[in-house]
Every structure is written in structure tokens, then in C-alpha cells.
Amino acid sequence: ALPPTRPPPPPPPPLSPPSPPSPPPPSPPPPSPPPPPLSPPPPPSPLSPPFLPPPPPSLPPLLPDMISCDFEVDNCAWIDTAPDGYSWTRMSGGTPSSDTGPSGDHTTGSGSYLYTEASGRSNKLHQLESPLFSLQQAATLSFFYHMHDALRLYMGTLSIEAYNNETGWTTLWSRTGDQGNSWLDAAVILPASATKVRFKGLTGSGFRSDMALDDVSFMQFTPPPPPSAPPL
């Protein structure tokens, strides 16, 4: 008899497909260019610390003819600088107190002027100062003033001072006491070294000390003509 037939062995399992090849690793980034060489530090400035920077440039001196003023609109370039803060008052018509002060301005009689209000301000300084200016040579400052005290007892002192950098303030002109009930004109010579000028009104011991100021004007002297050339 024939031996029994063995069943054929099962077929082997199918092979898995091969894995796809791995992608190549990314290329490394190109090397960065070397930094540029550092510039040498700038030489130290003479204004570098510990030195302080220079102050900002100052404004040019005011042209002196700009201090001329009739006070019709405002005080022009003049400023009050009295230490105690007593200001010159701009006024038209008469002052509030009787028997003192003008009845109107000098320019037209109906315009404006400055005055020192003396009521409740006995022996008080009123100081009106110009801005800084520069002169080429001596000049003239002219003005009109009014110092009326009907009792001739209480009017104070009006004075003008000029400033220069070497000697400080110097009195150029002064009047004290009642000068009558009218506008008077006056003029002072400003030396070429002057850089500022101021009016000082010091009231007297009573309310009849309203002194007034109007029509301030500046005139630069005309320089002499150059010498003529000698004849050939």
C-alpha cells in the first residue's frame, strides 16, 4: 500500500515591501560671514563727561532803537523788575488820586502813559528795565516825565541808571520832589559801554506821589565821517 500523502506546506507569508529610503539630512546652513572689524572709538570730545556741555547760545542783543516807546499799546520791550513786585501802571486820563499825577498822556492828551501808583505804596520802588542791547558808540535816551504833588510834601524820586559789565549800575539822572503840574522833557547820554538802562520810581511818604513817564525815545549818535585822503 502507498504511504499517505502529506499535505503541502503552507506558502510563506508575502514579504513586506521595502521601506522607502530615508531622505538625506538637510545640508548645514552656510557659515555666517565674519563681523566687520570694529571701527576705532572716536577721540574723546572736549565736551564729554566730566565736562558739562556749553550753554545754549544766547539771543543776540536787542537793537537799542527798539526800546523807544510811547506806551499807547503796551510797555514795548520794557519789563518791571522791582524786587518787591511793584509795577509801573499803564494809564490813560488822570490817575485815581487827586492833586497828583497828570491829567492825560504827553503824546496826544488822550493816549496812554506809565505811572507809579502811590496809594498804599509809600516809599516803594517801581523799576522799569530795558532788555540787553549793544551800542557802537554813545547814544541819547530822551523821555517825558511828570512829578506833581500839590502839597509839595510827598513826591518821591525818579532816576535813570545805566548798566555795564565792569562797573554795574550807575545813576545818570535823578529828580526828587514836586516838579510842577506839567510834562517835562529830559535826556541822558548812554555811554557806549552801556548794555541796559532802567527807570527807578521811588514813591514818597504819601499818596500824592504818582510820577509818570511817556514817549521814551532812543537816538544813536551819527558816527563822524572818515577822514579824507591826503592830496596826492
Side-chain angles (χ1 to χ4, degrees), residues 9 14 20 37 39 54 70 80 112 129 141 183 190 203 214 217:
S39 301
D70 59 10
D80 286 291
S112 298
E129 189 171 313
L141 185 73
W183 285 99
L190 299 179
T203 57
D214 201 7
S217 62

Side-chain angles (χ1 to χ4, degrees), residues 68-157:
S68 299
C69 191
D70 59 10
F71 307 109
E72 293 301 315
V73 177
D74 54 23
N75 291 5
C76 303
W78 295 86
I79 54 175
D80 286 291
T81 58
D84 294 333
Y86 293 100
S87 300
W88 287 76
T89 302
R90 189 167 155 270
M91 188 69 178
S92 60
T95 64
S97 302
S98 60
D99 300 327
T100 187
S103 58
D105 79 324
H106 169 264
T107 313
T108 63
S110 58
S112 298
Y113 57 92
L114 298 185
Y115 84 102
T116 60
E117 175 53 63
S119 298
R121 298 181 178 181
S122 298
N123 304 306
K124 299 300 182 183
L125 176 64
H126 300 65
Q127 191 164 271
L128 193 68
E129 189 171 313
S130 77
L132 188 69
F133 55 77
S134 177
L135 297 177
Q136 301 296 324
Q137 55 195 16
T140 300
L141 185 73
S142 59
F143 58 96
F144 287 83
Y145 68 99
H146 193 286
M147 299 175 68
H148 173 52
D149 165 17
L151 299 185
R152 304 178 66 87
L153 295 173
Y154 304 107
M155 180 54 64
T157 299

